[in-house]
């Protein structure tokens, strides 16, 4: 059955307002909300999506729903369900087709299934909403609900978090499948202008995704907490006695014999002392792990061959720098065969490298059993990095970029992927190379960025400021308030 999610609150509005550098943002959001509250009257805002756990939308909704309620806006989060087995495999196909991949044939059979399940969910929702309510429908899975709802005067808005900045047979087919449902929406919201299909062009707004600055992934970590998280998760050797016991499931590192072992077992990665270049992502071919690793290896080979900066400190920096490639532990994600395959490919490339270069590359598997511990590990890793790379060949938005920018870390990414270029301004917040598969450009840019600590510091500052102004939940909610006010005004 569809269900109303009982949200797990993290921080309250008062707690955000109590953080000195967030107080002005909270205040601006409160002011914007006051105007809206008056117009909203007793309308409820309904957030509708297809999953309670996993993925960026599910991660963001508890914060958004919680803040809306603290501001006095009635808000509910509904997760749809399926009364027929084929529905979620079909919506997974639709998701992949929007990303340009998969079998493009979507016919009457698929439409029948999609609409029967949508109508069933719509009937459930009809019993709960009231005329005038605002329905924010996230992503394609529940897109057809408004078509089948009978409650009058609803204000349905489609919030699409995914997209591709090019057209192919797959995208043409899926958008023509989805087009009939657009007529029932008052408006649509996308993450980038490149993602708006023609039929929504007149009634669409861009709202970037955002992060929660007080979540476990993004909150400030005191020095002790940071070192504690790294030591407890086995990402670092503990420098001394500790208060807390190790996490039940440690981070594991790929060893030169091909096995995965507790990350600090054979030797310390060096997160607390060495310069560190990091990429954290799902094990997905499109995340560009392999070309990044090969680019880093090329840079190291040059340095080990004596072809590096003449200044001894600059030289040593490139000598001792390490690359950390982290993602979910393959044991935790056995239901994702593609990830296991990509991890295996990366492992094969790693095992082909010279031992001295293998030493300087840590492929790390982060356990996912505790999402809080996983988030803290990601947080600590990003904070321990001299620079964060997101070498995606394609990227919807790239929250890993936002997360690192918020932590004052300069970014290396590319201008080919749509998400990174929404966020990173070349030579202001980091570097955008043209081609994520250009290993030579990767090698050179990593070396140059590492060689210029003052520039990195300035780019990190600028990145943090940009993340603060553009990509925190407060500015995102303000944009929603403006939009809703326009729609009901
Ligand atoms: N992530 C995580 N643990 C991991 C790997 C990734 O929590 O082991 C998180 C990462 O911090 C980010 C999200 O997964 O919040 C990935 O979002 P992004 O937009 O970068 O890419 P997507 O996975 O949605 O393609």
């Amino acid at each position: 059955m569809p269900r109303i999610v009982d949200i797990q609150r993290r921080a309250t509005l008062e707690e955000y307002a109590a953080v000195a550098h967030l107080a002005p943002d909270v205040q601006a959001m409160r002011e914007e909300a006051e105007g809206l509250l008056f117009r909203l009257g007793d309308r409820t805002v309904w957030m509708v999506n297809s999953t309670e756990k996993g993925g960026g939308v599910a991660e963001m909704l508890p914060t958004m729903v919680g803040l809306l309620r603290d501001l006095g806006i009635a808000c509910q989060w509904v997760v749809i369900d399926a009364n027929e087995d084929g529905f979620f495999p079909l919506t997974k196909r639709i998701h992949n087709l929007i990303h340009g991949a998969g079998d493009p044939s979507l016919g009457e059979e698929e439409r029948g299934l999609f609409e029967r399940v949508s109508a069933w969910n719509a009937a459930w929702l009809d019993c709960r909403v009231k005329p005038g309510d605002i329905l924010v429908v996230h992503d394609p899975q529940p897109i057809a609900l408004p078509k089948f709802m009978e409650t009058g005067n609803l204000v349905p808005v489609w919030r699409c978090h995914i997209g591709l900045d090019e057209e192919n047979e797959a995208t043409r087919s899926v958008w023509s499948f989805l087009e009939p449902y657009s007529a029932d929406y008052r408006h649509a919201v996308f993450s980038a202008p490149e993602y708006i299909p023609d039929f929504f062009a007149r009634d669409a707004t861009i709202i970037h995704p955002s992060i929660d600055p007080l979540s476990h992934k993004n909150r400030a970590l005191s020095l002790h907490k940071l070192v504690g998280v790294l030591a407890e998760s086995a990402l670092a050797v503990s420098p001394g006695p500790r208060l807390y016991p190790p996490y039940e499931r440690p981070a594991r590192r790929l060893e030169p014999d091909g096995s995965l072992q507790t990350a600090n077992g054979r030797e310390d990665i060096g997160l607390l002392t060495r310069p560190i270049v990091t990429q954290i992502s799902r094990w997905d071919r499109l995340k560009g792990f392999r070309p990044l690793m090969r680019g880093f290896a090329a840079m190291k080979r040059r340095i080990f061959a004596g072809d590096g900066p003449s200044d001894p400190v600059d030289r040593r920096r490139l000598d001792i720098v390490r690359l950390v490639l982290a993602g979910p532990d393959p044991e935790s994600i056995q239901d994702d065969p593609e990830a296991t395959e990509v991890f295996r490919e990366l492992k094969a490339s790693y095992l082909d490298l010279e031992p001295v270069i293998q030493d300087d590359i840590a492929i790390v598997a982060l356990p996912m059993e505790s999402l809080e511990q996983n988030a803290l590990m990601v947080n600590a890793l990003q904070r321990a990095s001299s620079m964060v790379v997101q070498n995606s060949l394609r990227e919807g938005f790239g929250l890993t970029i936002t997360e690192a920018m918020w932590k004052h870390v300069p970014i290396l990414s590319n201008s080919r992927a749509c998400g990174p270029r929404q966020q990173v301004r070349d030579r202001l917040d980091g570097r955008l190379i043209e081609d994520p598969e250009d290993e030579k450009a990767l090698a050179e840019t990593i070396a140059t960025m590492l060689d210029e600590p003052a520039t990195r510091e300035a780019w990190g500052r600028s990145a943090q400021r940009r993340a603060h102004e553009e990509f925190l939940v407060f500015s995102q909610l303000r944009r929603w308030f403006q939009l809703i006010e326009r729609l009901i005004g």
Side-chain angles (χ1 to χ4, degrees):
M1 288 300 278
R3 62 194 178 284
I4 292 185
V5 181
D6 186 16
I7 66 155
Q8 306 286 320
R9 275 315 297 282
R10 292 156 179 170
T12 63
L13 190 60
E14 294 314 319
E15 284 167 313
Y16 290 101
V19 180
H21 57 277
L22 299 180
D25 304 88
V26 175
Q27 183 54 25
M29 180 180 69
R30 270 194 167 124
E31 282 164 18
E32 197 91 44
E34 266 163 32
L36 176 66
L37 261 177
F38 175 72
R39 283 175 190 246
L40 270 177
D42 69 345
R43 294 176 202 247
T44 298
V45 176
W46 296 81
M47 299 285 182
V48 183
N49 82 327
S50 64
T51 174
E52 198 177 322
K53 283 205 184 87
V57 182
E59 180 150 333
M60 218 36 235
L61 279 178
T63 303
M64 288 179 71
V65 174
L67 281 172
L68 287 172
R69 288 182 182 163
D70 285 355
L71 289 163
I73 298 170
C75 185
Q76 295 286 4
W77 173 12
V78 169
V79 170
I80 61 160
D81 198 4
N83 56 348
E84 293 189 45
D85 286 344
F87 180 76
F88 285 119
L90 170 62
T91 60
K92 174 83 184 162
R93 263 188 71 204
I94 291 176
H95 177 100
N96 290 340
L97 287 169
I98 293 182
H99 283 124
D103 169 13
S105 56
L106 290 169
E108 283 316 303
E109 200 180 315
E110 282 85 1
R111 189 170 303 283
L113 168 65
F114 194 61
E115 298 203 342
R116 282 192 305 278
V117 176
S118 299
W120 177 72
N121 279 290
W124 183 92
L125 201 54
D126 257 330
C127 302
R128 284 148 183 97
V129 299
K130 58 185 180 311
D133 280 359
I134 292 143
L135 215 58
V136 182
V137 177
H138 295 261
D139 285 335
Q141 299 88 345
I143 189 174
L145 263 63
K147 178 180 161 105
F148 298 102
M149 292 188 65
E150 286 169 3
T151 313
N153 280 327
L154 289 175
V155 184
V157 180
W158 190 47
R159 195 335 173 187
C160 181
H161 297 265
I162 55 178
L164 182 65
D165 54 342
E166 58 194 66
E167 237 187 71
N168 62 21
E169 204 190 336
T171 63
R172 276 190 291 274
S173 153
V174 73
W175 285 121
S176 78
F177 182 83
L178 296 175
E179 180 170 359
Y181 309 112
S182 67
D184 295 283
Y185 283 92
R186 288 278 301 279
H187 201 79
V189 174
F190 293 86
S191 296
E194 289 88 332
Y195 299 158
I196 308 178
D198 290 345
F199 52 88
F200 265 127
R202 268 186 313 127
D203 286 312
T205 302
I206 305 305
I207 300 184
H208 293 304
S210 64
I211 57 168
D212 174 351
L214 296 190
S215 66
H216 288 301
K217 194 168 287 169
N218 295 306
R219 67 188 174 88
L221 298 176
S222 70
L223 186 60
H224 275 66
K225 180 75 184 171
L226 175 79
V227 174
V229 169
L230 292 177
E232 282 145 30
S233 62
L235 283 166
V237 170
S238 182
R242 302 194 312 258
L243 189 55
Y244 296 108
Y247 291 166
E248 206 166 298
R249 291 285 315 271
R252 301 193 296 163
R253 178 176 178 185
L254 182 65
E255 297 298 334
D257 67 1
S259 66
L260 274 170
Q261 304 293 343
T262 304
N264 60 6
R266 183 172 55 90
E267 61 139 10
D268 188 54
I269 297 172
L271 289 167
L272 292 173
T273 52
R274 291 174 186 258
I276 297 289
V277 178
T278 306
Q279 172 163 309
I280 305 170
S281 286
R282 290 179 295 105
W283 306 110
D284 181 321
R285 224 163 267 120
L286 293 176
K287 297 294 182 185
F289 276 117
R290 198 146 62 152
L292 168 59
M293 183 170 80
R294 292 164 60 106
F296 183 85
M299 191 265 305
K300 279 282 178 175
R301 256 177 230 123
R302 233 186 61 204
I303 301 304
F304 293 157
D307 176 15
S310 46
D311 178 82
V313 174
D314 290 344
R315 230 203 111 66
R316 181 146 175 81
R317 188 177 296 115
L318 298 181
D319 243 348
I320 65 170
V321 63
R322 284 191 162 173
L323 174 69
V324 175
L325 301 176
D329 192 315
E331 255 181 29
S332 317
I333 45 160
Q334 280 166 351
D335 56 345
D336 187 350
E338 199 179 314
T340 316
E341 180 62 32
V342 172
F343 189 80
R344 221 192 336 256
E345 284 170 16
L346 188 64
K347 173 166 128 180
S349 296
Y350 173 79
L351 296 180
D352 270 349
L353 295 170
E354 310 86 299
V356 23
I357 291 181
Q358 285 176 340
D359 276 352
D360 282 340
I361 297 175
I363 298 181
V364 174
L366 303 174
M368 299 292 289
E369 279 71 13
S370 158
L371 291 183
E372 177 180 332
Q373 289 175 1
N374 181 273
L376 285 168
M377 288 181 229
V378 171
N379 189 341
L381 272 177
Q382 287 166 335
R383 288 183 193 280
S385 304
S386 321
M387 54 190 276
V388 158
V389 188
Q390 190 56 54
N391 195 46
S392 305
L393 281 62
R394 279 186 195 150
E395 188 61 74
F397 188 68
L399 282 173
T400 48
I401 296 179
T402 331
E403 290 155 10
M405 286 172 77
W406 171 242
K407 296 174 183 96
H408 187 291
V409 181
I411 308 295
L412 166 57
S413 191
N414 68 84
S415 53
R416 185 164 297 174
C418 183
R421 60 173 195 263
Q422 309 289 317
Q423 303 190 63
V424 180
R425 297 159 303 177
D426 191 29
R427 295 180 198 277
L428 262 185
D429 312 306
R431 285 301 323 272
L432 291 178
I433 58 169
E434 271 174 31
D435 178 1
E437 292 179 294
D438 182 344
E439 290 162 18
K440 195 158 164 265
L442 282 164
E444 273 165 19
T445 316
I446 292 172
T448 332
M449 281 182 74
L450 286 170
D451 255 352
E452 295 173 5
T455 309
R456 262 191 289 123
E457 177 64 26
W459 289 353
R461 265 200 306 269
S462 155
Q464 184 176 47
R465 185 157 181 182
R466 179 156 169 80
H468 191 151
E469 284 165 6
E470 299 290 333
F471 309 128
L472 291 189
V473 62
F474 315 110
S475 41
Q476 188 191 25
L477 280 177
R478 285 176 62 190
R479 288 190 188 112
W480 273 105
F481 297 161
Q482 289 156 6
L483 173 64
I484 293 173
E485 194 154 345
R486 226 169 55 226
L487 293 176
I488 63 176

